[in-house]
Amino acid sequence: MSSLKTELGLGEPKPAGSTEQADQFKAAFQAAIGSVNQSLQYTAAHAEQAKHDPHASKRDTTCSAYQIALGRIDPTNPAAAQAAIDQVLAGVNSVKSAAESLKKSVEKAFNTWTGKQPLLDDVSDKIREMVDWGHQKASALEQVVKAVTEKANQRAWEAASTALDQIVDKVKPLYEEFLKQKAAKEEYDPLLAATQPRLEKVHACTFKSLESQKQAITAAEAPMNEAAAAMDFVTALTQLKALEALLSAFEAELAQLEAKKQQYDEARAAIDGKLTDASTCEYKVLAEMDQQIADLTSRTDQAAADEDFDQAITLVGELGCKVDEKLARVAELDAKRTEYEQKRAEVDAKLGPVSTCEYKVLAELDQQIVDLTGRVDQAATEQEYDQAIQLLGELLSKVDEKAQRVAELDAKKADYESAKASATDKMDSCTVSARQFTSLDAARADLAAKHGEMIAAAEDQDYDKALAAAKDLDSKSAKYLADAEKEQAKYDKKGADIVKKIDDAGYFSEDNVAREEMAKLTEDDLKHLPTEARNRILAELQEGYFSDDDKVAAKKLYSVKYLDPEFEKIDQKNRREMLEKLKTDPKYKEARDNWSTWPDNKKLETLQSVADVQADAYGIPKTTIETYTRPPYTDPDSGISYITNGEYGHDDGKLMLNDHPRSAWRDFDKVLNTTVHENGHRYQSTLIDRLDDGTLKKGDPLYNQAMTFKLNDTHHGYYTFDKPEYFTQPQETHSRVTGDALENAKIGQ
């Protein structure tokens, strides 16, 4: 209260010298300002702020004027403040009148609005119901209600009441329509749900004859769906009921078609298994019947496709009869074919073994078998199984005849091969270089002729003649060996004498004796001197300082090609095995034909395979072939140019081939020669390894030649020789024999 009195100027202490004028002024002002405050207190709570605030401001201004006027009162001069007092009282009464008027109008509007509050709640509930349902116009109405509420919140009671009246009038017809749509939807939704499976069946229907009805139903769906989408369920319900009538008519016709189709499908299913069986049995003699079945099947399928199920059912019956007829015929033919196949299997079991036995003398019989086999196959192809079975009997007789003839020839061939092996082994011993005595040249030529006669007879498959030649060759080879042994005896004695002289000499004289004895040896001595003696002489020459005289003696020993006879005999067998494998492998023909155009990697792959075959034949570890490029070397003294085609290093075990344009790399035969030549050095080095590790001992047929290779492989033995001794020293002699044999064989030609 004290603050309010202060605000209104009523609580200040009474000034000294107060007069009646002041008391009257105060009483009049307080009465008026109390009424103003009462009115403004109401409008502050119920009126729009914009309407209330100006009156409150005038009140405050009037109170300020009151304080000023009060301060001007002079007890000695009442007239001095009278004008101000009159003005303040006039002002406060004006504010009082305006505030009371505002309060009255606001109170009326507020009471009116309060009375309409239930209408706002009702219309809000209806609009919310419409919004929740999905009414298209409800959202906009909801915004209008929000605007009305906003006006009320702002205490604009008259505007809120007017707007509420308008929205109530607008919502009423919409809500009535909404109730109709809501009721229609409640009927439409379950009816549509019940109709949906029926519609799906319509859409899934593939019957062509129902296509027009299907299209009519589809056309009727569109406006119904559009109406429902627009929330016009009254219209959608009407259209749905019309659609039901179309569906009922469609379903009636569909039921009839499905019943006929089911009857057809059952009839067709009853014969389809037989039809499949019949279609997989293709016999030429049943071609006309197959065509009849195909025609009936096509007509049946067409009638079904045209949905003419009555016709299709009739045709299925005819088709079933025709299929049964074919299956009966097929059973008969199957039985005959089975009989044929059983007999053919019996013949084939005998034909297989004899077909691989190709003897020239049986060429006519082979042709008869081929002709009969062709006639059998032709009869079977034409499905003339009775004729095929008859021909099989004739073929079996011919096959049995050939089997007997083959057995006879195999026996003769086996006898020949046994005799050939013995004769060839003896001949190999005869033809080694150490046993090629001049006195036996004619006998050796006779052996070659008899060997050629044996081989020619065998190639002609005249095994009686070949066997006789093999026995004759065996006998002559035995005689040759006996004669050669006599010839060899003098050289064996000479070798033993030389070894004894060296043994009898003192330590410091052994190499002198070796040189002296070498000086005495003739060319024939050099050709036939035993390996043990040769090795002993060379070992003495190499012992200690290798003088020029030692070199002269060693070069003389190496001036004649020589291989140990036992070693050479084994080497011949190894070489034959290698050449036979290479000759019979077709990939080398491809290599020869394409060598000039092949890339280096394919060439290297081919040469590696050749080296591998050689390694298998000679029983040595396989090497790895690589290429390098080295240009020719020109001797500064002679001016002669040399090219190294390849080389082998036993330290790393690699065989290197020179791919320089002037090397043997581009010549198929020469590069094969180089490959086996250098791989021959690997064989020689392997034998030396076996000597060194003790696995190759005296008494082994390879021992003496291995020792020769070892003596040849030292600095004194190999690298000090110039031509021509370079080419006739043992390691080169052996590698050149191997390489030249391969080059002369013309592998792949």
Side-chain angles (χ1 to χ4, degrees):
M1 287 298 292
S2 60
S3 61
L4 180 59
K5 289 180 178 180
T6 301
E7 179 185 348
L8 299 179
L10 302 177
E12 75 282 0
K14 186 174 181 182
S18 176
T19 66
E20 186 68 28
Q21 182 184 35
D23 292 338
Q24 291 177 355
F25 176 44
K26 287 181 182 179
F29 183 80
Q30 289 176 357
I33 203 66
S35 177
V36 169
N37 285 333
Q38 184 179 10
S39 295
L40 291 180
Q41 187 176 9
Y42 180 84
T43 58
H46 296 87
E48 294 177 75
Q49 190 173 356
K51 291 181 178 181
H52 165 79
D53 287 350
H55 293 283
S57 179
K58 288 180 181 180
R59 177 199 62 189
D60 295 342
T61 301
T62 301
C63 287
S64 296
Y66 163 73
Q67 293 294 335
I68 294 171
L70 189 63
R72 290 179 180 176
I73 295 175
D74 184 358
T76 63
N77 187 9
Q82 191 61 50
I85 292 172
D86 292 341
Q87 185 178 357
V88 169
L89 291 176
V92 75
N93 286 323
S94 175
V95 172
K96 173 186 175 187
S97 177
E100 289 175 348
S101 176
L102 175 62
K103 177 190 175 191
K104 183 177 181 181
S105 63
V106 168
E107 190 172 17
K108 179 181 179 183
F110 175 72
N111 291 335
T112 299
W113 168 255
T114 303
K116 292 185 177 183
Q117 188 68 44
L119 290 177
L120 177 61
D121 295 339
D122 180 63
V123 78
S124 296
D125 291 342
K126 289 179 178 178
I127 291 173
R128 171 48 52 191
E129 183 181 0
M130 293 167 69
V131 168
D132 293 343
W133 187 76
H135 197 287
Q136 294 177 344
K137 296 180 181 180
S139 294
L141 293 173
E142 194 172 36
Q143 294 303 316
V144 174
V145 170
K146 287 182 180 179
V148 172
T149 303
E150 183 63 27
K151 289 181 184 296
N153 291 338
Q154 295 171 356
R155 305 170 187 169
W157 311 115
E158 290 182 1
S161 295
T162 300
L164 178 58
D165 291 339
Q166 292 174 348
I167 193 64
V168 168
D169 292 341
K170 196 168 187 177
V171 166
K172 182 178 179 181
L174 291 176
Y175 186 72
E176 291 175 354
E177 176 62 24
F178 156 71
L179 293 177
K180 292 180 182 178
Q181 295 293 349
K182 182 179 179 183
K185 185 176 187 302
E186 290 174 354
E187 183 178 357
Y188 172 83
D189 285 346
L191 185 58
L192 177 65
T195 305
Q196 202 62 46
R198 299 168 68 191
L199 288 171
E200 290 174 0
K201 190 172 182 180
V202 170
H203 296 317
C205 177
T206 57
F207 286 113
K208 298 175 184 178
S209 56
L210 298 181
E211 188 60 31
S212 60
Q213 289 175 269
K214 181 178 175 180
Q215 290 177 358
I217 290 171
T218 301
E221 278 187 90
M224 177 191 73
N225 291 335
E226 289 174 4
M231 307 297 283
D232 185 359
F233 290 103
V234 173
T235 301
L237 180 60
T238 301
Q239 292 171 334
L240 178 55
K241 291 179 178 179
L243 180 61
E244 273 198 308
L246 293 176
L247 279 172
S248 297
F250 176 88
E251 289 166 347
E253 292 195 29
L254 176 62
Q256 292 181 0
L257 277 171
E258 287 179 336
K260 290 183 178 180
K261 182 179 184 301
Q262 182 179 359
Q263 185 180 355
Y264 160 73
D265 287 343
E266 290 173 353
R268 180 61 183 265
I271 68 163
D272 273 347
K274 294 181 180 179
L275 184 60
T276 300
D277 293 341
S279 65
T280 57
C281 303
E282 297 181 359
Y283 284 106
K284 295 178 181 179
V285 293
L286 302 182
E288 182 179 352
M289 186 177 293
D290 285 337
Q291 188 58 52
Q292 292 172 349
I293 290 174
D295 291 343
L296 271 172
T297 302
S298 178
R299 290 171 61 197
T300 301
D301 291 342
Q302 187 59 51
D306 292 341
E307 298 172 7
D308 186 353
F309 295 111
D310 291 332
Q311 175 69 4
I313 291 167
T314 299
L315 291 171
V316 162
E318 298 177 21
L319 179 60
C321 293
K322 190 58 69 176
V323 167
D324 287 340
E325 181 182 351
K326 178 181 177 179
L327 290 176
R329 293 289 308 280
V330 165
E332 296 173 2
L333 288 167
D334 282 347
K336 290 183 178 180
R337 185 175 67 178
T338 299
E339 181 183 357
Y340 157 75
E341 289 173 347
Q342 290 173 345
K343 292 186 178 180
R344 179 62 186 261
E346 295 173 7
V347 173
D348 284 346
K350 292 185 176 181
L351 182 60
V354 302
S355 64
T356 59
C357 304
E358 297 181 358
Y359 286 105
K360 296 177 182 178
V361 294
L362 301 182
E364 182 179 352
L365 183 56
D366 284 336
Q367 189 58 51
Q368 292 173 350
I369 290 174
V370 169
D371 291 343
L372 270 172
T373 301
R375 291 172 63 194
V376 170
D377 291 340
Q378 183 62 33
T381 299
E382 293 175 355
Q383 298 169 355
E384 295 292 342
Y385 295 113
D386 290 334
Q387 182 182 1
I389 291 168
Q390 178 184 345
L391 291 170
L392 277 174
E394 299 176 26
L395 177 59
L396 182 59
S397 297
K398 290 294 180 184
V399 170
D400 288 341
E401 180 182 349
K402 181 178 179 181
Q404 182 177 353
R405 294 287 305 281
V406 165
E408 295 170 357
L409 286 167
D410 283 347
K412 290 182 178 181
K413 182 180 179 182
D415 291 342
Y416 157 71
E417 292 289 352
S418 177
K420 174 190 172 185
S422 175
T424 302
D425 184 67
K426 288 186 176 68
M427 186 176 176
D428 283 346
S429 296
C430 295
T431 55
V432 295
S433 57
R435 291 180 180 139
Q436 293 182 10
F437 298 102
T438 303
S439 61
L440 297 179
D441 284 350
R444 198 163 53 254
D446 188 32
L447 290 178
K450 183 58 65 177
H451 180 267
E453 178 186 336
M454 177 188 72
I455 295 302
E459 289 178 349
D460 290 338
Q461 296 175 350
D462 187 347
Y463 294 112
D464 291 332
K465 183 177 179 180
L467 178 61
K471 290 179 178 179
D472 195 11
L473 178 62
D474 190 281
S475 175
K476 289 181 177 181
S477 294
K479 184 178 184 308
Y480 183 96
L481 287 174
D483 293 341
E485 186 176 354
K486 293 177 183 178
E487 288 286 332
Q488 183 64 38
K490 60 183 179 181
Y491 298 106
D492 290 346
K493 183 178 184 310
K494 184 172 289 190
D497 290 344
I498 292 172
V499 171
K500 186 174 185 307
K501 287 180 181 180
I502 294 173
D503 288 342
D504 291 343
Y507 176 77
F508 295 102
S509 301
E510 289 177 340
D511 62 336
N512 295 330
V513 172
R515 285 195 300 274
E516 291 170 1
E517 292 302 317
M518 277 300 306
K520 300 175 186 177
L521 294 178
T522 67
E523 185 174 350
D524 275 348
D525 292 336
L526 295 174
K527 288 180 180 179
H528 305 295
L529 194 68
T531 309
E532 296 93 329
R534 303 168 74 90
N535 289 344
R536 179 63 186 277
I537 291 170
L538 187 59
E540 292 302 332
L541 293 175
Q542 292 181 6
E543 182 75 21
Y545 174 67
F546 196 45
S547 67
D548 290 341
D549 291 339
D550 290 333
K551 292 178 183 178
V552 169
K555 289 177 70 172
K556 180 179 180 180
L557 186 62
Y558 281 169
S559 65
V560 174
K561 294 179 181 178
Y562 179 87
L563 293 172
D564 180 77
E566 294 305 313
F567 168 84
E568 189 174 3
K569 180 179 176 182
I570 294 172
D571 202 62
Q572 286 175 340
K573 291 181 179 179
N574 293 339
R575 189 163 58 250
R576 275 199 300 268
E577 180 183 343
M578 175 185 71
L579 292 176
E580 187 61 30
K581 287 183 179 179
L582 294 175
K583 285 179 180 179
T584 55
D585 193 330
K587 70 182 176 187
Y588 297 110
K589 181 180 187 314
E590 180 188 6
R592 174 181 288 278
D593 293 344
N594 297 282
W595 197 255
S596 62
T597 59
W598 266 7
D600 286 351
N601 66 314
K602 288 202 71 173
K603 291 180 180 180
L604 194 62
E605 181 183 337
T606 300
L607 297 173
Q608 181 68 60
S609 72
V610 171
D612 290 346
V613 170
Q614 182 184 9
D616 289 338
Y618 283 77
I620 59 173
K622 293 177 181 178
T623 185
T624 298
I625 301 181
E626 295 181 3
T627 59
Y628 68 102
T629 304
R630 181 181 295 169
Y633 165 74
T634 302
D635 189 322
D637 297 327
S638 66
I640 299 175
S641 181
Y642 301 95
I643 185 78
T644 300
N645 291 319
E647 57 189 54
Y648 170 74
H650 198 55
D651 288 341
D652 61 8
K654 290 184 179 179
L655 196 163
M656 306 299 293
L657 295 176
N658 189 0
D659 60 8
H660 189 275
R662 287 183 56 187
S663 73
W665 182 254
R666 287 170 170 75
D667 187 312
F668 181 70
D669 289 314
K670 291 189 180 302
V671 76
L672 258 63
N673 183 328
T674 302
T675 300
V676 299
H677 177 110
E678 297 301 333
N679 208 25
H681 289 321
R682 178 173 175 80
Y683 174 48
Q684 297 154 16
S685 297
T686 301
L687 291 178
I688 295 171
D689 289 343
R690 293 178 60 196
L691 276 178
D692 292 342
D693 66 19
T695 57
L696 186 60
K697 303 179 185 298
K698 278 188 177 183
D700 190 297
L702 299 176
Y703 177 84
N704 286 332
Q705 185 64 45
M707 184 60 71
T708 300
F709 287 148
K710 181 175 181 178
L711 292 168
N712 187 193
D713 199 47
T714 66
H715 180 68
H716 291 166
Y718 195 117
Y719 298 104
T720 59
F721 292 113
D722 300 322
K723 298 176 181 177
E725 289 82 5
Y726 174 87
F727 298 104
T728 54
Q729 60 187 309
Q731 290 197 10
E732 283 298 312
T733 293
H734 171 252
S735 282
R736 287 180 181 276
V737 167
T738 307
D740 291 346
L742 182 58
E743 182 173 354
N744 295 333
K746 300 297 179 185
I747 301 301
Q749 185 168 293

